[in-house]
Amino acid sequence: MKLNTDYQEKFQNRHIAPNAADTAQMLKTIGAGSLDELIAQTIPSNIRLKKPLNLPPAKSEFDYLNTLRQTASKNKVFKSFIGQGYYDVIVPGVIQRNILENPGWYTQYTPYQAEIAQGRLQALLNFQTMVIDLTGMEIANASLLDEGTAAAEAMFMQYSLRKNQDAKIFFVSDEVFPQTIDILKTRSEPYGIQIQIGDHREVELNNNIFGAIVQYPAGHGAVYDYSGFAAKAHEKGIKLTVVADIMSLALLTPPGEWGADVVVGSTQRFGVPMGFGGPHAAFFATKEEYKRSIPGRIIGVTIDSAGNYALRMALQTREQHIRRDKATSNICTAQALLAIMAGCYAVYHGPQGIKLIAERIHGLSVLLAQSLEKLGYKQLNQSYFDTLKFDLGELVGPLHAEALNNEMNLNYEGSVVTISIDETTSSEDIKTMVRFFAKVKGKTLSDVNFDELKANVETVIPAALQRKSDFLTHAIFNSHHSEHEMLRYIKSLETKDLSLCHSMIALGSCTMKLNATTEMVPVTWPEFSKMHPFAPADQVGGYMQLFDELNNWLSEITGFAAMSLQPNAGAQGEYAGLMVIRAYHYDRGEGHRNIALIPSSAHGTNPASAAMAGMKILVVKCDENGNIDVNDLREKAEQHKDDLSCLMVTYPSTHGVFEEAIIEVCQIIHENGGQVYMDGANMNAQVGLTSPANIGADVCHLNLHKTFCIPHGGGGPGMGPIGVAKHLVPYLPGHAVVDIDRGKSIHAVSAAPWGSASILIISHAYIAMMGAEGLTDATRYAILNANYIKSRLKHHYPVLYTGANGRCAHEMILDCRSFKGAGIEVIDIAKRLMDYGFHAPTVSFPVAGTVMIEPTESEPKHELDRFCDAMIAIRHEIDDIEKGLFDKANNPLKNAPHTAAVVTGNDWEHPYTRQKAAFPLPYVATYKFWPSVGRVNDTYGDRTLICSCPPLEDYEFEESVIE
C-alpha cells in the first residue's frame, strides 16, 4: 500500500460543519443543483469578485501555533512600571481556566433572553455591586468599553443633563491621562463642546462650564483632596466626573463620599491581563437620579413567573435601537466577559484580600520612594497611592539605559519619570530599581538601609483621604475564598447559562460561529497578555508583525487600502468611520456636509452613531420587498447634494437580502458629493465572493466578534476595525501617546492605540488557518445553511423578504405577526424555544413581530434539523391554540419556559402534560437544558429597580408581589 506522506489536515474542515453528503441533501431540499448555482442565484453577478482572494496558503492548526510562537518571541516581556491606566496583574488560576479560557463562558451571547442567562447576569450584578461599593456611588452599569470612552460617555451625559443650554465648556484636569483627553477631544467636537484643559487648583469655574473631570489619583500619581473643588463646582451647577483607579479605592476615600456626580475607570487591575491594551471592562457609576441617562447596560433584580428571585437587563436596554438618532449613546457592545472576571476577582479575594493587595502595592511604593530619597532623589508627589514622580534632569538618559539593562520599563515624559507599582511587583523588584538608581549616582544599595526601611513602611496618604467606610460587605464577597469554593461557585453560575457549548445560537445579524480552541489559546500567552500598550516600539515586534499581517489580510478581504484596528466595538467602528468621513469633508473645505442618509431598515446604532458624529439624519424608505427605495434615495440625495455627507448602508441588507441595485445606490451618493459607509455586520455573507470596495463603499467597519471569530463573551468583548478607500487613509484615528498618526488623523476613538489588541490574535488565527479557499467556502456554506433553514421552515412561517431569485443571504426574517389572533406574540416563541434547548433567534428586529435567523457555516446539518424541528413543533403548538385545543392564556407557549421546579412540583394545573412542557420532542430527553427561572417580569423590575446584590433574606419573594 502506497502511503501519503504529504497529508496536512485542513482547518476549514473543522470550521465548516456540513460534509459532502449533507451538502448534497441540503441542496436537494433547497432546489439547487450545486453550491455554485445557489451562490449565483443569491449574489448579483455584477458585484461578484472576478478573482480569488490573494492570501497566504492556509496553515494547519499545528503549524499556525508554531509560527505564532516565533512571532510572539519578537515581543520582549519587560517588567512594566509604566502605569498610565494599565498594570500587570496576577490572574487567579481558577478564574483564568474556568472563565477566560472556558467556552462555557466566552461563547455566550448578550443576555437578552434572561431565563437562560441567570449565571452571567448574577456575575454582572456582582460587578455592579463591587463598583458601587468601591466608588461610594448609588448605581452602576454592567461595564463599558474602556476608561477613556467611559469618560467621554460621562461628559456627554453631563452635557445632555445641563440646565443652562448655553453652557458649552467641559473642564478637563491636565492630569487626566492623555489617552482619555484625546478621546474627549474626539467626542466633543461634533457637538461644539469646548474642552478647557487646566489645573483644577487654579481654574476659575463659571456658568459657561457644564461639567468637569479629574483623575484620582492624578495622572502623575498625586492624590489630591478634590472635595473643595467639588463643592465649588456644585455651587456653579457644574457636575463632576472622577476617573478613579479602582484598586486605590480600597485605601482612598471613595469619590462618592466627597462630591462626585459620576465615577468612571477601568477594572483591568482586578485580574484582567494588560493584553497590549485590552479588552478590559470599564465601569460607570453615578447617582440614582441619573439612572435613566446611564449609557450601556444595567442588570436589575426582578421576579419570575413563580415570584422567585430573577435577574435581567433593565431600563434602557438597547435604547439606541428604539430611539435611534435621539439616543444618548450608540453603545451596543460592553465588556461582559472581562467584567465577570473582575467581579469574580473581588469575590475570590473578598474585602480583606483586596485591601491587603492595595496595601502591599502602596507599601512597596512608599518603600521605593523612601529608598530613592536616601540616594538623593526628590520624589515630587506629597501624597500618592502607587505612582512616584521624579524630575531627573540630565540623569534621565543614564537611568533609562540602566532600566532597560534590567528589563524594566518606566514612564518617561522628557526629564520627568513616573514609576507605577502593581500587584506583581516584589520586594526584589524594588531592590533592583534601587540598585540601578544608586548606580547612576555612583552609589550602591548599601547606601540605603533597605531592610530597616522595609520594616517600617507607613502610609503617606493623609488621614482625611484614607478610606473609613466598609466595602464588599455582601455575603457573595465573603464566602468563596478557597479555590474549591470558588470553582464550585463559578460552575454553579455557568450551569445556568446556555452557550454554544449546548446548541446553535441562530441569532440574525449576530453571527454566532465557532470560536476554535486554537484561535483562543495564544490570547493568554505571556508574550501577548503581559504587554503594556505604551511599551517601547522595539519591544513589541511580534504585535507589530501581527497587526501588519492582519491589516493586509483584512484590506484584501474588503478591497480597501488600509485598516484602523483601534475601534474596540462595532458601534465604535461606525462612529470612527463617520468621523473619518467628517474629517475628509472638512479638509476639503466642505465641513457643511452633514446630512446622513440612512435606510429605514438600518441597525439602530447607525442613526445613533451619525447623531454622535454631528450629522443630521434623513431616513430613506424601503420598498415592499425590503430593499432601499432607489427613487426616494435619489430624490433625497439630489435635494441635499450641497450638504450630503454620506449614506449608511448594511450589505447584505438588514432584511437578509443582496439588493440588486447596490452599485447604483453607491453611484447616486458619489454623484452628489457624498461618501458611502457600509455597516459590516453582515460581512459573513461577503468574504471571498464580493467586498465593500467592490460594491462602491468608501469605508466599512468589521465586527471581528462576528465574521472573524472573536467570541461574544456573554455580551462583549468585541472589535470593530474600519477599512477605508485610499482617499480616506490619512484621516484614520491617531493616538496621543503612541505615534500612529497618518498625517491628518482624527483624535483617538479608543483608549489604547490598537484597541483590544490581544483578541486580534483570534481573527489573525482564523484567517491564517482558513486561507482564501476556506474563507470563501465559509461564506458559501453560511448562505447554504441559511437557505436550507428557509426551505424547511417556509411552509410553516412566512419568510418576509427574499432576493430576486427567491433566495436569502446568510440570514432570513420569519413573520410571526399572524399568530396574534391566537394570542401568541413573538416573545412567546422565543421563550418556548428554551424548552427545546435553544436560544431564540433575534426577536422583533429589524421588524417588530418577527424573528431573524442566522445559522452560520459552523453548524452541521443535524443541528440545523434539530432547530427546524423545534420551530415546526412550536408552529404545531400554535395550530393547536388556533383550533381551540389549548387555552389562549394557558398553553405551552404562554407558560414557557418551564423550569425543573415547575415540572416536578406537586401542582400541575395546565391542559397539557408535563412531558409536553419539558420534553416536547424526543431529542430533548437525550440532553435537557433546564432554564433556571421562569419567565422574568420586566415590569416589576423596572418599577422597583435594584442593580446591586440584595441581602440574602430578600432572595425569596412572596407570591403576593406578582401582579
Side-chain angles (χ1 to χ4, degrees):
M1 180 178 68
K2 189 175 182 181
L3 300 179
N4 184 341
T5 58
D6 294 321
Y7 170 73
Q8 186 180 54
E9 189 173 55
K10 287 186 174 183
F11 173 73
Q12 73 179 78
N13 295 335
R14 301 294 188 185
H15 177 85
I16 301 171
N19 58 32
D22 288 341
T23 300
Q25 291 179 29
M26 292 160 73
L27 287 167
K28 184 177 180 180
T29 300
I30 293 168
S34 67
L35 198 50
D36 286 340
E37 181 182 313
L38 174 64
I39 298 303
Q41 293 170 352
T42 304
I43 303 178
S45 59
N46 64 335
I47 64 166
R48 290 285 302 275
L49 296 178
K50 301 296 187 279
K51 57 183 180 179
L53 295 173
N54 182 19
L55 295 171
K59 290 185 177 295
S60 69
E61 296 176 69
F62 179 77
D63 285 347
Y64 176 76
L65 289 179
N66 283 337
T67 302
L68 192 66
R69 279 287 183 195
Q70 298 171 23
T71 303
S73 68
K74 297 176 184 178
N75 289 333
K76 301 174 185 177
V77 187
F78 284 16
K79 194 81 179 174
S80 177
F81 298 93
I82 297 171
Q84 299 295 291
Y86 302 93
Y87 309 87
D88 202 2
V89 296
I90 299 170
V91 185
V94 68
I95 293 175
Q96 177 165 320
R97 174 64 62 87
N98 296 290
I99 297 179
L100 179 59
E101 298 175 345
N102 180 358
W105 282 97
Y106 65 67
T107 69
Q108 303 159 344
Y109 185 58
T110 308
Y112 294 126
Q113 298 296 336
E115 296 84 356
I116 49 176
Q118 289 293 298
R120 97 197 75 139
L121 285 167
Q122 182 62 59
L124 292 171
L125 190 74
N126 295 350
F127 173 86
Q128 290 177 182
T129 305
M130 172 192 82
V131 170
I132 290 168
D133 280 7
L134 284 165
T135 61
M137 301 303 287
E138 296 169 343
I139 190 169
N141 70 12
S143 79
L144 291 177
L145 298 176
D146 58 39
E147 181 170 290
T149 52
E153 294 289 343
M155 174 184 70
F156 187 69
M157 188 181 90
Q158 291 176 2
Y159 180 71
S160 63
L161 290 171
R162 74 197 192 284
K163 293 180 179 178
N164 176 11
Q165 296 298 304
D166 293 327
K168 292 280 189 179
I169 298 174
F170 188 65
F171 173 76
V172 180
S173 165
D174 55 11
E175 292 196 68
V176 170
F177 289 140
Q179 66 270 23
T180 299
I181 295 176
D182 209 23
I183 294 172
L184 292 172
K185 290 177 179 177
T186 310
R187 291 285 193 93
S188 61
E189 186 183 343
Y191 285 96
I193 296 172
Q194 301 169 38
I195 298 294
Q196 179 181 332
I197 302 172
D199 189 329
H200 77 278
R201 294 164 295 186
E202 298 177 2
V203 64
E204 185 176 331
L205 300 175
N206 59 62
N207 294 332
N208 293 320
I209 300 174
F210 66 86
I213 188 168
V214 295
Q215 190 100 30
Y216 183 64
H220 287 154
V223 176
Y224 295 116
D225 184 347
Y226 290 115
S227 58
F229 178 74
K232 290 178 182 177
H234 290 150
E235 287 174 8
K236 299 287 186 181
I238 298 169
K239 292 182 174 63
L240 177 63
T241 294
V242 177
V243 187
D245 180 304
I246 197 161
M247 184 65 78
S248 75
L249 299 182
L251 301 185
L252 299 179
T253 303
E257 294 180 14
W258 49 253
D261 295 291
V262 183
V263 185
V264 300
S266 172
T267 58
Q268 184 262 315
R269 296 193 87 153
F270 275 31
V272 181
M274 288 189 287
F276 205 48
H280 309 136
F283 63 86
F284 189 109
T286 187
K287 297 177 178 179
E288 181 85 14
E289 63 188 283
Y290 306 135
K291 63 186 178 184
R292 295 195 177 274
S293 299
I294 298 176
R297 303 170 185 145
I298 300 175
I299 309 307
V301 178
T302 187
I303 54 175
D304 74 354
S305 53
N308 297 318
Y309 172 88
L311 300 168
R312 93 294 185 231
M313 293 198 295
L315 297 179
Q316 73 284 12
T317 299
R318 300 194 89 179
E319 62 107 22
Q320 74 276 6
H321 282 295
I322 300 166
R323 300 191 67 213
R324 302 174 75 81
D325 60 304
K326 300 294 190 301
T328 56
S329 173
N330 71 339
I331 290 173
C332 198
T333 305
Q335 299 284 22
L337 183 69
L338 300 315
I340 289 165
M341 287 180 65
C344 284
Y345 179 92
V347 169
Y348 190 48
H349 288 295
Q352 289 81 17
I354 296 294
K355 188 172 182 181
L356 287 170
I357 292 168
E359 286 180 351
R360 183 173 176 276
I361 291 170
H362 181 52
L364 289 175
S365 304
V366 174
L367 175 60
L368 178 59
Q370 293 178 348
S371 299
L372 297 185
E373 285 167 355
K374 288 279 188 181
L375 294 171
Y377 292 95
K378 181 175 175 54
Q379 203 283 124
L380 300 178
N381 290 330
Q382 290 184 339
S383 176
Y384 53 87
F385 167 62
D386 66 353
T387 299
L388 311 179
K389 178 182 179 182
F390 301 90
D391 190 337
L392 299 182
E394 59 188 24
L395 292 180
V396 69
L399 191 282
H400 192 172
E402 285 298 327
L404 293 176
N405 287 340
N406 286 274
E407 297 191 347
M408 290 184 171
N409 289 326
L410 313 183
N411 186 51
Y412 305 92
E413 298 175 29
S415 63
V416 173
V417 175
T418 60
I419 305 170
S420 295
I421 306 304
D422 61 44
E423 180 187 10
T424 69
T425 307
S426 67
S427 295
E428 285 304 310
D429 293 328
I430 301 298
K431 194 176 285 188
T432 298
M433 270 193 280
V434 174
R435 283 196 187 100
F436 66 71
F437 268 86
K439 182 179 178 181
V440 168
K441 284 206 169 188
K443 299 182 180 181
T444 66
L445 185 63
S446 60
D447 291 307
V448 177
N449 196 338
F450 189 83
D451 292 333
E452 183 179 340
L453 288 175
K454 183 181 177 183
N456 294 284
V457 171
E458 293 187 6
T459 183
V460 297
I461 300 171
L465 292 177
Q466 292 180 25
R467 182 170 194 134
K468 299 174 181 62
S469 54
D470 294 333
F471 59 93
L472 303 182
T473 57
H474 194 278
I476 284 176
F477 301 105
N478 293 278
S479 305
H480 308 289
H481 303 325
S482 74
E483 180 165 335
H484 219 158
E485 290 172 307
M486 190 65 193
L487 173 64
R488 287 171 176 162
Y489 180 64
I490 291 171
K491 287 295 177 183
S492 74
L493 298 181
E494 181 189 339
T495 57
K496 296 178 180 180
D497 282 27
L498 187 142
S499 71
L500 283 174
C501 297
H502 300 94
S503 57
M504 173 173 71
I505 302 178
L507 286 151
S509 186
C510 291
T511 318
M512 301 289 292
K513 60 203 288 181
L514 171 70
N515 314 124
T517 306
T518 299
E519 295 161 4
M520 301 300 296
V521 165
V523 172
T524 51
W525 288 356
E527 295 92 340
F528 294 120
S529 67
K530 294 177 75 68
M531 296 299 294
H532 193 288
F534 305 156
D538 60 359
Q539 295 176 19
V540 296
Y543 262 120
M544 292 303 106
Q545 178 181 329
L546 188 143
F547 296 157
D548 186 56
E549 291 172 351
L550 189 57
N551 174 73
N552 291 337
W553 299 345
L554 292 176
S555 295
E556 171 66 16
I557 289 166
T558 59
F560 285 133
M563 307 291 300
S564 168
L565 302 176
Q566 187 178 118
N568 54 5
Q572 198 88 312
E574 286 181 22
Y575 178 73
L578 294 173
M579 290 298 286
V580 164
I581 290 173
R582 186 175 188 273
Y584 168 75
H585 287 314
Y586 268 83
D587 191 44
R588 288 161 51 89
E590 296 185 330
H592 56 275
R593 289 189 174 274
N594 65 347
I595 299 290
L597 299 181
I598 302 179
S600 59
S601 62
H603 291 98
T605 53
N606 286 179
S609 295
M612 287 172 58
M615 297 182 184
K616 296 178 180 178
I617 291 88
L618 287 180
V619 177
V620 177
K621 297 176 186 176
C622 288
D623 62 24
E624 64 277 4
N625 297 316
N627 299 322
I628 293 173
D629 185 325
V630 177
N631 290 331
D632 187 55
L633 174 78
R634 180 179 286 106
E635 181 182 325
K636 287 184 168 71
E638 291 177 352
Q639 180 183 351
H640 299 281
K641 63 182 180 181
D642 294 334
D643 297 316
L644 180 62
S645 174
C646 65
L647 166 75
M648 297 187 77
V649 61
T650 302
Y651 201 75
S653 74
T654 311
H655 293 146
V657 175
F658 282 96
E659 299 189 36
E660 299 280 335
I662 188 64
I663 290 180
E664 181 185 1
V665 163
C666 294
Q667 287 174 343
I668 290 170
I669 299 303
H670 290 145
E671 288 168 0
N672 289 280
Q675 297 286 288
V676 175
Y677 169 89
M678 197 200 90
D679 185 317
N682 294 341
M683 193 69 193
N684 209 46
Q686 284 199 42
V687 178
L689 298 179
T690 183
S691 72
N694 211 45
I695 69 169
D698 300 287
V699 57
C700 171
H701 89 267
L702 301 176
N703 296 94
L704 298 189
H705 51 290
K706 296 183 181 182
T707 306
F708 295 94
C709 291
I710 292 175
H712 282 68
M719 280 292 279
I722 57 171
V724 295
K726 185 177 180 180
H727 63 282
L728 295 177
V729 172
Y731 308 97
L732 290 174
H735 197 268
V737 180
V738 178
D739 184 11
I740 55 172
D741 193 277
R742 303 273 191 155
K744 298 177 180 179
S745 289
I746 63 171
H747 290 291
V749 295
S750 302
W754 292 279
S756 295
S758 65
I759 57 174
L760 290 172
I761 300 164
I762 300 165
S763 299
H764 182 273
Y766 172 64
I767 297 171
M769 293 188 295
M770 290 290 278
E773 178 188 343
L775 290 172
T776 305
D777 273 351
T779 309
R780 286 149 51 93
Y781 276 88
I783 293 171
L784 171 71
N785 282 3
N787 279 279
Y788 177 68
I789 287 181
K790 172 181 168 292
S791 295
R792 282 212 59 194
L793 295 183
K794 66 182 180 181
H795 301 298
H796 306 276
Y797 299 86
V799 178
L800 204 54
Y801 302 112
T802 58
N805 298 308
R807 304 302 186 191
C808 66
H810 62 311
E811 62 189 6
M812 80 224 69
I813 298 173
L814 303 185
D815 194 348
C816 303
R817 291 172 291 188
S818 64
F819 307 144
K820 286 180 180 289
I824 296 300
E825 302 290 341
V826 68
I827 195 66
D828 299 319
I829 297 172
K831 302 307 179 186
R832 183 58 173 153
L833 271 168
M834 297 177 192
D835 290 328
Y836 288 81
F838 284 104
H839 191 293
T842 302
V843 173
S844 286
F845 174 79
V847 180
T850 67
V851 294
M852 182 160 61
I853 300 171
E854 180 182 356
T856 87
E857 70 278 6
S858 301
E859 299 300 342
K861 178 179 179 293
H862 65 81
E863 183 71 358
L864 304 180
D865 284 331
R866 210 164 65 88
F867 175 78
C868 290
D869 290 345
M871 289 293 292
I872 293 168
I874 290 172
R875 181 66 183 93
H876 291 326
E877 291 173 353
I878 297 173
D879 285 342
D880 289 341
I881 299 169
E882 291 173 332
K883 294 173 184 175
L885 300 177
F886 288 135
D887 183 80
K888 283 188 177 183
N890 189 359
N891 58 66
L893 282 86
K894 284 297 183 185
N895 295 326
H898 298 82
T899 65
V902 167
V903 172
T904 59
N906 293 327
D907 299 324
W908 186 260
E909 299 177 352
H910 305 305
Y912 52 93
T913 66
R914 298 172 194 256
Q915 179 81 15
K916 177 73 171 175
F919 305 103
L921 285 175
Y923 76 76
V924 181
T926 306
Y927 177 73
K928 174 66 178 177
F929 181 88
W930 289 100
S932 57
V933 298
R935 194 175 302 196
V936 298
N937 187 325
D938 291 317
T939 304
Y940 176 86
D942 280 342
R943 196 170 62 247
T944 56
L945 180 65
I946 302 170
C947 68
S948 61
C949 297
L952 292 181
E953 58 267 23
D954 291 352
Y955 277 44
E956 297 297 330
F957 292 83
E958 298 295 332
E959 290 191 10
S960 60
V961 301
I962 306 176
E963 297 183 4

